[in-house]
Amino acid sequence: PAAVALPQDTAQVVAAVTVAAGLGTPIVVRGAGSGLAGAANAVDGCLVLCTTRMDRILAIDPAERLAVVQPGVINATLRDAAAREGLFYPPDPGSFEMCTVGGNAATNAGGMCCVKYGVTGDYVRGLEAVLADGSVLRTGRRTVKGVAGYDLTHLLVGSEGTLAVITELTLALRPAPAEPRTVVGQFTSLAAAGEAVGAVLRSGVEPSLLEILDATTLQAIESWQPLGIEAGTAAMVLAQSDSARQDADATVIAKAFTDAGAAEVIQADDPAESDLLMQARRLAYPALERMGATLLDDVAVPLPALVPLIEGVERIAAERGMTVGIFGHAGDGNMHPTVVYAHGDPDAERRAFRVFDDIVALALELGGTVTGEHGVGLLKRSWLGGELDPVARRAHLAVKAALDPAGILNPGKSIPES
């Protein structure tokens, strides 16, 4: 970057944007930098607007179940503050202890609880944002219902800093849930694991978490921190319920796993045991990362295509002679195939990107999308052009031209090439 600014309030953002706009200087907004698609990466000669000092929780209203926050508030900080009021902020990206809510909104981040609670955008009631000319836009409202005008709030959510700079968010909160109960099933075939996922979703239970890990990922975990995963396990499925009848839900989930052919089913009796059973999911990416350099993908497919996606990724890995571990959010079809390759080996890196591209192509063939929660950024920009039809591409470019006619906001990111 040519310069970095660390504003503390909206007025300082306006000042910085106004100067940059007058000079035609590109502007890249950056929060905690925990994103995985490169959307917050600086470009040559730009002004980086770093929002980490805009970290105040301005209000929490228990009656309205709302929070008003600056974009630099850490996700976990907001969750803790809401919990002190008996409330719950559900969006839970894997980096929730370091990522910011502004970045979560900019990428429409997801997480493990999406199967029940949805993504960040489902909780954004309104925004304050600075447009490319330095003017301040307010979108949305505090009311529970409101349909006046275009939905500009959710136009900006997920726009990855290409349309405006988010400076304040009004977020919906929910009542605190019950302590979750966890059920884990180990399966000797992917087909059985896929049937278990479907059985849980058909059972009438609303899981708050439904995750899957493949054999490659499980072997990486077991070789690092042994958890007693049975040899020959092709997949592990983890589920939680945090409803008021979580014990009964856990019994239903356990039966669904057993009926689907689970080789072993473990049901937690208390929160401490639930936390212990969740260790495998938390260790998935770090365990693969220990094996070499990693290229983490983020694709989503319709639920009936979940097993074909996992089987297809395993086939691609075998054909390319590469290691790929697969884990992710089985309940909403959002998977994270992770390509592992040797550090400092340019040829291995090239082959890793070929595998990455093969996986994205497979997801599209199965009726899916190139990104479920990490965003487009730099990494998936070329693939977005393939997912959108010509009319949708034209609409994207028209919106960009309307709000950022000089093209100074996060150039080269997110939207398809003109």
Side-chain angles (χ1 to χ4, degrees):
V4 177
L6 292 99
Q8 293 180 296
D9 56 32
T10 301
Q12 292 182 358
V13 173
V14 168
V17 169
T18 301
V19 169
L23 297 170
T25 300
I27 299 169
V28 176
V29 186
R30 185 176 181 87
S34 61
L36 294 166
N41 289 11
V43 298
D44 286 347
C46 77
L47 168 66
V48 168
L49 275 178
C50 185
T51 61
T52 51
R53 289 183 179 174
M54 299 179 71
D55 60 355
R56 289 186 296 147
I57 297 175
L58 303 173
I60 292 182
D61 188 322
E64 288 194 281
R65 296 178 184 168
L66 287 177
V68 181
V69 304
Q70 290 184 307
V73 171
I74 301 294
N75 182 292
T77 301
L78 175 58
R79 295 183 71 159
D80 291 344
R84 289 193 289 272
E85 301 291 341
L87 298 170
F88 176 44
Y89 180 63
D92 67 335
S95 57
F96 76 101
E97 291 180 321
M98 66 171 288
C99 64
T100 61
V101 292
N104 295 166
T107 56
N108 203 7
M112 285 192 282
C113 75
C114 290
V115 64
K116 178 175 181 177
Y117 292 107
V119 296
T120 299
D122 297 317
Y123 296 87
V124 181
R125 290 268 189 89
L127 295 170
E128 176 189 81
V130 177
L131 298 180
D133 62 0
S135 57
V136 178
L137 169 70
R138 285 192 170 273
T139 74
R141 52 199 54 82
R142 288 178 69 103
T143 56
V144 175
K145 297 167 68 177
V147 296
Y150 293 138
D151 188 354
L152 297 179
T153 300
H154 292 98
L155 175 64
L156 297 186
V157 170
S159 63
E160 300 185 33
T162 62
L163 299 179
V165 181
I166 295 172
T167 54
E168 185 179 291
L169 305 96
T170 300
L171 302 169
L173 304 174
R174 296 181 62 139
E179 284 286 350
R181 289 292 182 268
T182 304
V183 184
V184 173
Q186 297 185 43
F187 298 85
T188 55
S189 76
L190 280 171
E195 172 55 31
V197 170
V200 171
L201 296 173
R202 292 190 300 269
S203 69
V205 168
E206 188 177 25
S208 55
L209 177 148
L210 190 55
E211 301 285 300
I212 192 168
L213 300 88
D214 81 331
T216 300
T217 306
L218 293 171
Q219 290 163 11
I221 294 167
E222 192 68 12
S223 67
W224 177 32
Q225 295 193 26
L227 299 176
I229 298 167
E230 295 292 329
T233 300
M236 176 183 285
V237 181
L238 304 94
Q240 283 188 337
S241 170
D242 64 1
S243 76
R245 54 188 304 275
Q246 75 271 45
D247 291 329
D249 287 352
T251 300
V252 172
I253 293 168
K255 184 177 185 305
F257 284 3
T258 300
D259 291 349
E264 183 178 12
V265 178
I266 304 170
Q267 186 172 316
D269 293 325
D270 55 54
E273 190 175 4
S274 280
D275 192 57
L276 185 64
L277 291 176
M278 284 301 298
Q279 274 292 94
R281 178 60 181 87
R282 295 191 189 98
L283 293 173
Y285 184 61
L288 291 168
E289 205 172 24
R290 291 180 68 254
M291 297 169 60
T294 55
L295 188 57
L296 180 66
D297 211 333
D298 161 46
V299 293
V301 295
L303 289 173
L306 180 65
V307 171
L309 173 69
I310 297 174
E311 291 176 339
V313 170
E314 292 187 338
R315 183 181 65 253
I316 290 167
E319 290 172 352
R320 293 287 193 184
M322 299 289 286
T323 298
V324 184
I326 313 163
F327 60 93
H329 317 308
D332 56 29
N334 184 193
M335 290 289 101
H336 298 309
T338 303
V339 189
V340 182
Y341 59 98
H343 285 287
D345 184 337
D347 180 63
E349 184 174 6
R350 282 191 294 272
R351 290 189 291 121
F353 271 96
R354 283 199 292 269
V355 170
F356 183 93
D357 286 345
D358 288 345
I359 292 170
V360 177
L362 173 64
L364 290 177
E365 289 170 14
L366 293 171
T369 178
V370 301
T371 175
E373 59 186 6
H374 294 169
V376 174
L378 286 168
L379 191 62
K380 296 268 179 89
R381 190 179 181 217
S382 61
W383 278 106
L384 179 64
E387 180 171 334
L388 301 177
D389 64 35
V391 177
R393 288 197 294 273
R394 189 170 71 237
H396 276 70
L397 294 168
V399 170
K400 173 69 169 174
L403 293 183
D404 180 21
I408 64 171
L409 293 178
N410 215 6
K413 314 285 183 58
S414 183
I415 65 169
E417 298 280 355
S418 60

